[in-house]
Amino acid sequence: QVHLVESGGGLVQAGGSLRLSCAASGRTFSRYAMGWFRQAPGKEREFVAGISWSGGSTYYADSVKGRFIISRDNAKNTVALQVNSLKPEDTAVYFCAAGRPPGIPTMLNEYDYWGQGTQVTVSS
C-alpha cells in the first residue's frame, strides 16, 4: 500500500517555474515506478513524466520534453517534478502515481496508487 500526497502547485506566469513534490508513505515505495500525470478541464488525464524504481531511467511526454525534469529520492520516499518554461497549455491538475515495474508505465491502468493532485495555473 502506498499513500501519495502532492504539493507545490500554484499560479505562475508563462515562462516561470515550479517544483512539484510528492510524498509517499509505505515501506514499498522503492519498488514502484513513479509517474506524473495531468488533467486539464474537459480533457482526459495524460501522462507527463515517469521514472523507474531505481531512478536510473526517465521518460517524458513529447509536450514537456526539455522543460520538465522528474527525480526521486527513495531514502526520503519522495518524487519531484521540476516544471520550467511553463506555458498556458500546461495549466492542469497534476497527479503523482505509483506504477508497476518493470520499466516506466505510461498508461493510467498501469498505475495502482494515486495522489489527490495539485493545481498548476499558468497565466499568459
Side-chain angles (χ1 to χ4, degrees), residues 38-63:
R38 65 187 181 186
Q39 188 166 17
K43 295 188 176 181
E44 294 185 352
R45 192 169 299 188
E46 63 176 1
F47 173 83
V48 173
I51 189 166
S52 61
W53 67 270
S54 67
S57 298
T58 57
Y59 185 74
Y60 298 91
D62 288 342
S63 59

Side-chain angles (χ1 to χ4, degrees), residues 88-103:
E89 52 263 43
D90 293 319
T91 295
V93 178
Y94 284 70
F95 300 88
C96 72
R100 283 162 263 149

